[in-house]
Amino acid sequence: MLMNAMDICFDLAFKMKEPDTVICTVNHQIRQGTLPSPEWPNISLAWGLSGMIYFYSAMDQQFPDESWDSTIHDYMLIARESAEKDESGDLSWFSGLAGYHSAIRFASKRQRYQRMLSILDELLIKEVHTVYLQQVDRYMEPARPIPPNLYNLSIGLSGLVIYLSSCEDNRDLINLAQNCLQALVRLMSELKVIGDNQVPAWFNAIEDEPITEYKRKYATGLFKFDIPNGITGVLAALSIAKLRGFDVVGLSDLINNIAVWLLEKKIPHQNQARWKHVISFNEIIENSMTQSEHSPRNWFSGAPGILRSLFLASKAVGEKSLRQFCEENLLLNLTKTTEDDPADLSFCFGKAGLLSIAHTMACDTQNPEYFSLVRKLETDIAGHYNPQHPFGFQTLHQHADGRMDWSDHPCLLNGAAGIGLTLLQTQRQQGNDWIHPFALCIAS
């Protein structure tokens, strides 16, 4: 018998209610080699305990009489202990202090955990200036490429801009958001000189590339289009800041310039707008892009995420023709069955990410076709729920040798918590703060 979305969320919440049991299940899979994941527990928003806090905080907000606050507290204690042991100095949105800070704020309802938040506020403000803002001038020289981790969504300034600009009740954090936005606009507005060529600031030099396969394949450098690591996430962050009322010199021009650049790089395929997730330096210089042998359809690196970011840009700068283009092409992309339909259910690479994008578009456009699509995707995901699995949903994970396995993971980005949060999101039309880490928000 097919369970409805809310029953699934409750069942899922009860399955993950005991943090010690969840941690044991995850670490057992890591030891068995069936789950490529950082060791648990860790404070990561995308892959760890902060994501679990987000899930139970969303449950607590929608069902305040169900005592989910006690589960939040249990996860919070373990996360705090993990944070105190962490000596990496990671401030990032997806894996570090910023994500942990955001989870506590989300759980606090602006009433609880105020002492902890006050301590973390001071630490975040101090360290962001040192680790990010004081580094910007070093990369303003035209011949010096910018490390993507300074500006991207998952690790860099873009993630900080999205998070800090949402802290409207804290003047110090809002001021920090303004400073981060100004730094991001400065960095991204300058052209870089690579050899005899000028390229956009989001050129990724090979020495800054962590993926071994990319180092081999793109020896002269590359441009990334995925949301966490590439220019698409940057565009979303700039647009969200603009929609929230922030502004700095050059912001609107930069949003326009990135949007035009992305549109120029689209590759028509079967009457759909598509993009490669990576373009080489030589392809850009020679203007000789070829159709990708595989064009993924997901939030992470496919056309749905790119079109949603372009839609936010169109709202931010008032480009009605771009808005119409995105609304029409995204609907076509999500409704037309192709060989690229994801089997995975996760937010990052699967159907939960598509559902979240469809829901934000439905709320923004009030287009009934998007609402129909939301119900279809919701039913599809619910049909894959299996109460016999440790976390109800299984998601796909790729091993280093290319093998794909179904795994049990509770996390936000690649696991059950992200799927559960997406189902919670679709039960009401207003936006949920939890989707902000993924460069999504209701723009209307």
Side-chain angles (χ1 to χ4, degrees):
M1 179 178 175
L2 181 66
M3 297 173 65
N4 65 44
M6 294 316 306
D7 287 341
I8 287 173
C9 290
F10 270 99
D11 194 54
L12 181 60
F14 279 109
K15 283 180 178 298
M16 303 190 297
K17 189 175 182 180
E18 301 295 335
D20 290 341
T21 302
V22 173
I23 290 168
C24 286
T25 302
V26 173
N27 281 327
H28 175 74
Q29 290 186 93
I30 293 173
R31 288 192 298 271
Q32 296 296 314
T34 58
L35 184 61
S37 173
E39 183 177 353
W40 266 53
N42 60 72
I43 66 168
S44 168
L45 173 62
W47 302 283
L49 296 170
S50 295
M52 305 303 293
I53 294 170
Y54 259 82
F55 173 69
Y56 282 101
S57 299
M59 288 292 292
D60 187 44
Q61 287 181 15
Q62 291 211 30
F63 309 102
D65 299 325
E66 298 290 337
S67 300
W68 295 117
D69 53 339
S70 63
T71 305
I72 295 169
H73 184 69
D74 292 341
Y75 273 103
M76 194 88 73
L77 290 176
I78 300 173
R80 184 175 66 182
E81 182 178 351
S82 181
E84 289 171 349
K85 293 179 180 178
D86 186 6
E87 298 179 354
S88 67
D90 187 348
L91 298 179
S92 73
W93 189 209
F94 271 28
S95 58
L97 180 64
Y100 174 52
H101 186 277
S102 74
I104 296 172
R105 279 184 63 87
F106 189 50
S108 73
K109 296 183 179 178
R110 297 176 184 161
Q111 296 174 354
R112 298 177 291 191
Y113 313 117
Q114 291 305 302
R115 183 173 178 275
M116 186 187 301
L117 280 171
S118 179
I119 294 171
L120 290 174
D121 286 350
E122 293 182 12
L123 180 60
L124 189 64
I125 291 168
K126 175 185 174 183
E127 295 299 324
V128 165
H129 275 93
T130 302
V131 174
Y132 292 99
L133 300 182
Q134 292 180 11
Q135 306 304 315
V136 170
D137 286 342
R138 298 175 55 194
Y139 297 101
M140 297 308 295
E141 298 176 13
R144 188 167 190 177
I146 309 166
N149 286 352
L150 182 58
Y151 62 79
N152 66 17
L153 176 74
S154 61
I155 299 177
L157 284 165
S158 293
L160 292 172
V161 165
I162 291 179
Y163 170 50
L164 295 169
S165 65
S166 71
C167 302
E168 69 278 358
D169 61 325
N170 187 312
R171 176 47 51 187
D172 291 334
L173 295 182
I174 288 296
N175 290 338
L176 184 60
Q178 184 78 7
N179 292 337
C180 288
L181 178 61
Q182 186 173 31
L184 183 60
V185 171
R186 282 187 67 207
L187 282 170
M188 295 289 95
S189 296
E190 298 296 324
L191 293 173
K192 293 296 176 182
V193 178
I194 308 299
D196 296 327
N197 301 286
Q198 284 190 327
V199 295
W202 46 95
F203 165 75
N204 190 348
I206 200 63
E207 58 265 26
D208 296 319
E209 176 52 51
I211 300 177
T212 302
E213 179 186 352
Y214 287 177
K215 284 181 176 291
R216 175 186 56 80
K217 191 173 180 179
Y218 305 103
T220 56
L222 62 152
F223 296 83
K224 290 185 176 180
F225 286 65
D226 66 88
I227 290 180
N229 308 300
I231 188 57
T232 310
V234 178
L235 176 62
L238 296 168
S239 302
I240 290 170
K242 179 77 172 175
L243 288 166
R244 288 174 175 166
F246 287 76
D247 203 4
V248 298
V249 175
L251 175 59
S252 294
D253 287 342
L254 179 58
I255 292 172
N256 271 313
N257 291 341
I258 295 174
V260 168
W261 189 86
L262 281 171
L263 288 169
E264 288 174 347
K265 305 302 178 287
K266 70 179 185 297
I267 303 172
H269 177 76
Q270 297 181 355
N271 297 320
Q272 294 187 43
R274 290 194 175 189
W275 285 263
K276 299 174 70 172
H277 68 282
V278 175
I279 295 181
S280 72
F281 172 78
N282 290 338
E283 285 179 293
I284 292 294
I285 296 305
E286 298 168 6
N287 195 25
S288 59
M289 288 179 297
T290 57
Q291 174 65 51
S292 173
E293 65 278 5
H294 175 63
S295 182
R297 189 159 74 137
N298 54 44
W299 165 85
F300 179 84
S301 62
I306 295 174
L307 286 166
R308 177 61 191 175
S309 294
L310 285 168
F311 181 86
L312 290 172
S314 75
K315 294 279 288 185
V317 296
E319 284 288 341
K320 292 183 179 179
S321 60
L322 177 57
R323 174 177 175 165
Q324 184 176 356
F325 168 84
C326 294
E327 182 177 346
E328 293 174 353
N329 278 270
L330 184 48
L331 185 62
L332 179 63
N333 187 278
L334 291 175
T335 54
K336 188 173 182 180
T337 302
T338 72
E339 70 278 5
D340 299 314
D341 283 359
D344 191 20
L345 301 174
S346 73
F347 192 99
C348 189
F349 297 114
K351 294 176 182 177
L354 300 183
L355 174 57
S356 188
I357 290 172
H359 182 257
T360 57
M361 289 298 294
C363 294
D364 278 334
T365 65
Q366 295 298 304
N367 184 330
E369 291 187 78
Y370 274 108
F371 284 107
S372 296
L373 179 60
V374 167
R375 299 282 80 85
K376 179 181 177 182
L377 286 167
E378 181 185 289
T379 301
D380 189 3
I381 292 171
H384 287 83
Y385 188 75
N386 186 342
Q388 302 304 313
H389 295 317
F391 308 127
F393 290 109
Q394 289 189 316
T395 53
L396 279 172
H397 289 276
Q398 183 171 350
H399 295 267
D401 60 5
R403 290 182 299 112
M404 301 291 287
D405 274 336
W406 290 100
S407 298
D408 299 291
H409 203 305
C411 74
L412 194 62
L413 190 62
N414 299 100
I419 303 172
L421 276 164
T422 306
L423 293 175
L424 284 174
Q425 175 192 351
T426 61
Q427 303 312 299
R428 55 183 186 176
Q429 288 194 30
Q430 65 266 38
N432 296 67
D433 289 346
W434 81 268
I435 59 176
H436 294 170
F438 306 119
L440 295 173
C441 70
I442 307 301
S444 56

